[in-house]
Amino acid sequence: MIEITRILGHCDDPDLSARIHHAGHHGGIEYLHIPPAEAARRRFRAVTDMGSECAVMLPRDQGIFDGAVLLLEHDRAVVARLTEQHWLRLRPSDVEGAALELGYHAGNLHWRVRFDHGDLLVALDGPRETYVARLADLMDEGKVEVVGE
Amino acid sequence: MTVSTEVVGAARVGVGGPVGSGKTALVERLIPLLRGEGIDLAVITNDLVTKEDAERLRRSRLIDPERVLAVEAGACPHTVIREDPTLNIEAAERLDAQFPGLELILIESGGDNLASTFSLDLVDYWMFVIDVAGGDDIPRKRGPGIIQSDLLVINKVDLAPHVGVDLDRMVAEAREVRGGRPVVLTNCRTGDGVDGVVRAIRDAVPLGRQTGKSAGSGSR
């Protein structure tokens, strides 16, 4: 069991990358794949891609990010990799009523969103159908359409 | 070699769910089981405008009354466990400072609706407690509390035949909407099934007040 109690830095940090490269020559670099929605979690158990069990116990002021170095020894490194975040791209029929209504609706559902050239991107933290089902009324009224993912 | 002396603090586990589902009763059952496993424990309760649940736990003698803190939400209970959990974070930090060996803090939310969820800025793991008397259609309604919680607890299972609930169907639907996330059945009046909640917490959350004392962050 590997106990991880702090983040050492980013794997591209100059003082860490050479040591990670060196560790790779000896034993290997292990990756801990974490869904983006779980990255805020400070304590959890997980298994690396090479099967090593990890007990993560981070201080409250630290959080997992893509490329976070979690363990660095002479012959071994563990690096966090956030899995790909899928987004549902929604386009309101106008930038006034429909856009406001969609924004209100997404906020009311506590969806994680981004904005991109007039579209609303919703982070898919569960099945796509679950999100689309919540939009049925707006879509039926022609106020919103799903334009991509 | 990197040597850290940072104090990580106690693990935090949230207990949410509707009014009357048995959250406080579950906490009352969890306290002796967790303490029996040698876990250094404290509790934070959330109520709307009173300290009722905290006072109930203090009177219970299950735990040192100083290890029970109350947060008054003053508004919808989910606001202080999700939108702005500052009050609860401050309470947890106070407990961390007051009890240096503390390993686990249970944070009980005030009773709320099926949309209630915990922020991961506040807790490491959270469970949602419903009960059969609330109706066997609750899992089908797919509220965020039902779907997103790390653990769903279905309480008061002994009441199922008295309130016309098909428990098997309720559990099957709960498992289906949760996509494989765990579901535990309890009767907090008798304590039946509460050991399953303890196991779920221990399986998912590393406890211990780790101080990052080993080389290169991790240790084996």
Side-chain angles (χ1 to χ4, degrees), chain A residues 85-88 112 122-129 131-132 149:
Chain A
Q85 176 68 65
H86 295 283
W87 299 88
L88 189 66
R112 294 191 297 123
V122 178
L124 293 176
D125 296 326
R128 179 183 187 276
E129 310 80 66
Y131 289 79
V132 174
E149 194 178 317

Side-chain angles (χ1 to χ4, degrees), chain B residues 13-17 21-34 41 43 56-57 62 106 108 126-130 151-156 184-189 191-198 201:
Chain B
V13 169
V15 181
S21 61
K23 296 180 296 300
T24 308
L26 175 60
V27 170
E28 287 173 330
R29 288 290 180 181
L30 285 172
I31 290 170
L33 292 183
L34 291 166
L41 185 69
V43 181
R56 172 173 159 180
L57 287 176
L62 293 168
L106 297 176
E108 181 195 340
W126 62 282
M127 66 192 76
F128 197 76
V129 184
I130 60 174
L151 175 69
L152 178 67
V153 179
I154 301 178
N155 190 30
K156 306 184 189 179
V184 170
L185 308 185
T186 59
N187 173 356
C188 289
R189 292 275 288 178
D192 288 348
V194 179
D195 57 335
V197 179
V198 173
I201 293 171

Side-chain angles (χ1 to χ4, degrees), chain A residues 1-8 19 37-45 54-62 69-73 75-76 109-110 130 134, chain B residues 1-2 4 6-12 82-83 120-125 150 181 202-213 215-220:
Chain A
M1 174 74 73
I2 302 172
E3 291 187 352
I4 292 165
T5 56
R6 68 189 292 250
I7 292 171
L8 297 174
R19 292 170 60 197
E38 300 289 310
R41 216 182 277 273
R42 306 305 201 290
R43 282 187 185 242
F44 57 93
R45 299 184 193 279
C54 298
V56 179
M57 294 177 282
L58 295 175
R60 297 288 160 193
D61 61 351
Q62 294 187 11
V69 181
L70 305 176
L71 174 79
L72 183 52
E73 296 174 336
D75 59 353
R76 188 189 208 187
L109 290 166
H110 301 282
T130 305
R134 301 281 77 74
Chain B
M1 177 180 291
T2 303
S4 169
E6 290 174 80
V7 175
V8 174
R12 300 174 189 168
R82 183 177 60 207
E83 282 83 0
L120 292 180
D121 286 328
L122 174 63
V123 298
D124 304 300
Y125 180 90
D150 296 306
R181 289 188 174 203
R202 302 215 64 171
D203 286 348
V205 186
L207 302 180
R209 200 173 170 100
Q210 191 64 37
T211 54
K213 54 183 178 286
S217 170
S219 63
R220 282 179 283 171

Side-chain angles (χ1 to χ4, degrees), chain A residues 38-105:
Chain A
E38 300 289 310
R41 216 182 277 273
R42 306 305 201 290
R43 282 187 185 242
F44 57 93
R45 299 184 193 279
V47 178
T48 69
D49 61 344
M50 293 174 67
S52 299
E53 293 184 3
C54 298
V56 179
M57 294 177 282
L58 295 175
R60 297 288 160 193
D61 61 351
Q62 294 187 11
I64 298 279
F65 51 85
D66 192 56
V69 181
L70 305 176
L71 174 79
L72 183 52
E73 296 174 336
H74 174 70
D75 59 353
R76 188 189 208 187
V78 175
V79 176
R81 283 290 180 222
L82 299 193
T83 55
E84 186 182 359
Q85 176 68 65
H86 295 283
W87 299 88
L88 189 66
R89 181 178 285 271
L90 305 175
R91 185 164 296 161
S93 58
D94 63 63
V95 296
E96 292 142 354
L100 280 172
E101 204 168 333
L102 175 60
Y104 175 85
H105 190 63

